[in-house]
Amino acid sequence: MTVTETRHQAPAAPALTHREILEILIGLLAALFTAMLSSTIVSNALPTITADLEGSQTQYTWVLTASLLATTVSTPIWGKLSDLMSKKLLVQLSIILFVIGSALAGTAQSMPFLIGYRVLQGLAMGGLMALAQAIIGAAIPPRDRGRYSGYMGAVIAVATVSGPLLGGVIVDTPWLGWRWCFYVCVPLAMISLVMLQRYLHLPQLKREIKIDYLGAVLISGAASLPLIWVSFAGQQFSWLSWQSALFVGGTIGLGILAVLVENKAPEPLVPLKVVRQRTTALAIVASLAVGVAMFGSAIFLGQYFQIARGYSPTESGLLTIPMMLGSFVGSVGAGQMVTRFGKWKRYLIAGGILLTIGLVLLGTIDHTTPYWYVGSGMLAMGIGMGMMMQNLVLAVQNTVDVTEIGASSASVSFFRSLGGAVGVAVLGAVLASRVKDLIISGLLAGPGGAAAVRKLQNNGSGGTSLLDVGHLPPQLAALVRQAYGDATGRIFAIAAICGLVSLIAVFFIKEVPLRTTVAKLDEVLAED
């Protein structure tokens, strides 16, 4: 393969036909489906996993946070590499890493090992998410991309719907058990690997590979420190302490250094000239808020239904269908309308409104809230998320050339994942603190309250995790259910503020007509 950087000297590669695009999408969306399934299938089974491995609420949160953190820090690296080398090779490498991580996660004998294997899964998921956006951006002109982005959103929605259901069935099936929540992803990933080898033949610009190693280290550190801080602050040390000051100061320092390095790097992981553009900057703010709202709140719905309301994992998956159905309708519907009319901002604004409304409704729930009310909030939140996720990426891709499509798309995905990781960590910490306060208040209100509180603080719950409600003494179990149900509303109320921020950000985005070509400038392309 030859390196060619000549511009305007040869015609661009011919546009792909609808059939060729669909052939690429078959394998690509199969891989993306597998990655998304691994997240949603775990979220519904996690209360059972945590109880079986005797984990804590902090470890419960970190099984999710570790994967999101790894996805976050690896996304810009994968995205930049996709601009420099074969996207096909990279996406296949991501799938192989994902298979290894999934197989190891199924063998975990403790929560720390499970968290470590989830990091490997997250690194692979960062590649799959970044490369899916980059490949679609390199193959399809923005004017036609809405329909195909809608397909991607539909796959994400189907994976989100089927994941909790499949996870619940696996957990509730005695001869399978929760470990198969990880093993089941392995054959699906291998199928997608074969399909991509057959169908993915994407033209791409070849350039000299210059990896921004220093930028990768600084960005990873700046993204990791705040998550570690919020996980340990309030438990291992005070929020207002010298340890907290070190974490915050380190985050700010690494962030400043990352900006300085990225500004001078010949091939920056996060291209600042793209980030400085008004559309990209506002899309990043909106994506950050959407990530907090989407990951940080939705991930606790399974815990709410199972612990606070006493439903089984399978029933919990069924009860979250309104949110998944809303995401499907919002994504596919908005994608089709964008392709038909060429307008996209109106769907971002409508999505922001619905997302905020849904989160506000869920911010008022407790352990006695009727299901129709909870379902209404989930439906509105799902439609809003579906309308916003892919269209935010589309808005950014429409402003950059094909040579920067990977890095620019990954930048949006990076901040969305960062928002999700921060959201899970912060809201998990808020939930754990609130649950603890409510349980202590409930114990103090009963007979022998002070002694019961001391016993709980000194000996836990007699060796049983509070998340394993079924094996707790009846009075304590009832108190734990009530505490989790009443505390859940608070994290959705916090997420609603993030939803409002995303709405304000998209309101100020300037709508640019969608172009009908993949590249802004003609490029000489070399075949993979």
Side-chain angles (χ1 to χ4, degrees):
M1 294 178 285
T2 61
V3 178
T4 310
E5 295 184 348
T6 307
R7 299 173 183 258
H8 302 299
Q9 294 183 4
L16 297 175
T17 64
H18 178 64
R19 178 176 178 176
E20 290 172 332
I21 292 174
L22 289 181
E23 288 175 345
I24 291 174
L25 286 179
I26 288 174
L28 185 65
L29 296 184
L32 184 62
F33 176 83
T34 305
M36 293 302 300
L37 184 68
S38 73
S39 296
T40 56
I41 200 174
V42 170
S43 64
N44 205 35
L46 201 49
T48 301
I49 296 174
T50 306
D52 186 44
L53 298 181
E54 299 181 354
S56 65
Q57 175 65 49
T58 299
Q59 290 174 323
Y60 177 103
T61 301
W62 264 98
V63 172
L64 306 169
T65 303
S67 177
L68 281 173
L69 175 59
T71 301
T72 299
V73 299
S74 65
T75 294
I77 300 174
W78 288 108
K80 189 60 188 179
L81 288 176
S82 72
D83 288 334
L84 301 175
M85 57 189 298
S86 171
K87 295 177 177 64
K88 180 176 181 176
L89 175 64
L90 291 172
V91 75
Q92 289 175 322
L93 177 60
S94 299
I95 294 173
I96 292 172
L97 288 176
F98 179 80
V99 168
I100 295 173
S102 298
L104 290 174
T107 66
Q109 299 298 318
S110 66
M111 291 296 284
F113 275 100
L114 178 60
I115 291 171
Y117 298 143
R118 288 286 290 170
V119 169
L120 185 56
Q121 276 190 309
L123 292 174
M125 289 169 60
L128 292 173
M129 295 297 292
L131 290 161
Q133 300 285 3
I135 290 172
I136 287 182
I140 309 167
R143 184 64 174 81
D144 302 324
R145 202 172 295 159
R147 174 172 55 171
Y148 299 103
S149 294
Y151 295 159
M152 178 181 290
V155 166
I156 292 176
V158 170
T160 310
V161 171
S162 57
L165 292 176
L166 182 58
V169 171
I170 290 175
V171 170
D172 288 338
T173 303
W175 54 273
L176 286 176
W178 62 262
R179 297 184 185 278
W180 276 94
C181 291
F182 299 102
Y183 294 147
V184 74
C185 296
V186 173
L188 295 176
M190 295 304 297
I191 292 172
S192 67
L193 185 64
V194 173
M195 297 174 72
L196 281 171
Q197 176 62 32
R198 178 176 181 180
Y199 292 118
L200 182 56
H201 304 288
L202 186 66
Q204 117 183 22
L205 180 67
K206 296 297 179 179
R207 295 188 289 173
E208 182 182 356
I209 299 177
K210 295 180 180 179
I211 301 177
D212 181 16
Y213 293 105
L214 182 56
V217 172
L218 293 173
I219 291 173
S220 299
S224 302
L225 283 182
L227 301 180
I228 299 173
W229 172 49
V230 298
S231 297
F232 293 108
Q235 300 182 45
Q236 305 299 324
F237 49 83
S238 173
W239 285 98
L240 298 177
S241 64
W242 64 268
Q243 294 97 330
S244 293
L246 285 179
F247 274 106
V248 175
T251 301
I252 296 174
L254 289 177
I256 293 174
L257 289 175
V259 171
L260 294 175
V261 169
E262 294 301 276
N263 196 42
K264 295 183 178 298
E267 293 288 352
L269 291 179
V270 179
L272 296 184
K273 66 177 182 179
V274 174
V275 174
R276 292 190 189 103
Q277 296 179 12
R278 175 179 173 179
T279 296
T280 306
L282 290 172
I284 284 174
V285 172
S287 294
L288 191 66
V290 168
V292 173
M294 178 174 63
F295 293 106
S297 60
I299 208 70
F300 295 106
L301 280 172
Q303 191 176 28
Y304 169 77
F305 283 122
Q306 291 181 53
I307 295 180
R309 309 306 293 265
Y311 293 104
S312 71
T314 301
E315 292 170 334
S316 177
L318 290 170
L319 291 172
T320 56
I321 283 181
M323 184 180 70
M324 315 315 172
L325 179 63
S327 180
F328 179 90
V329 172
S331 180
V332 176
Q336 293 288 340
M337 298 299 284
V338 167
T339 297
R340 182 174 182 179
F341 299 108
K343 302 291 185 180
W344 47 267
K345 181 175 178 178
R346 62 188 65 174
Y347 305 108
L348 287 178
I349 294 177
I353 293 173
L354 288 171
L355 175 64
T356 304
I357 290 175
L359 291 170
V360 168
L361 291 176
L362 293 175
T364 63
I365 65 174
D366 58 26
H367 71 287
T368 62
T369 303
Y371 176 71
W372 68 264
Y373 186 89
V374 180
S376 299
M378 289 191 294
L379 180 64
M381 182 175 71
I383 296 175
M385 289 190 303
M387 298 179 76
M388 295 188 74
M389 279 192 300
Q390 298 304 320
N391 285 323
L392 284 171
V393 177
L394 173 63
V396 173
Q397 289 180 340
N398 187 52
T399 64
V400 301
D401 187 59
V402 68
T403 59
E404 297 176 325
I405 202 76
S408 60
S409 302
S411 296
V412 178
S413 298
F414 167 76
F415 285 101
R416 185 174 64 211
S417 298
L418 178 62
V422 172
V424 168
V426 172
L427 297 182
V430 171
L431 179 65
S433 176
R434 181 60 176 163
V435 166
K436 179 181 178 181
D437 291 343
L438 290 174
I439 291 176
I440 291 176
S441 298
L443 290 174
L444 289 174
V453 170
R454 285 194 298 270
K455 180 180 178 181
L456 181 66
Q457 292 175 334
N458 294 331
N459 302 315
S461 50
T464 303
S465 169
L466 288 178
L467 296 175
D468 192 6
V469 182
H471 292 87
L472 293 176
Q475 290 183 336
L476 181 58
L479 185 58
V480 169
R481 291 189 186 280
Q482 181 176 337
Y484 269 95
D486 295 346
T488 300
R490 175 169 294 189
I491 64 175
F492 283 105
I494 295 173
I497 299 174
C498 300
L500 182 61
V501 171
S502 68
L503 174 59
I504 295 173
V506 299
F507 182 81
F508 287 102
I509 290 180
K510 181 180 179 181
E511 186 164 29
V512 178
L514 297 175
R515 65 175 187 267
T516 58
T517 58
V518 170
K520 295 179 70 175
L521 299 172
D522 290 343
E523 305 284 352
V524 177
L525 300 175
E527 183 72 13
D528 272 2

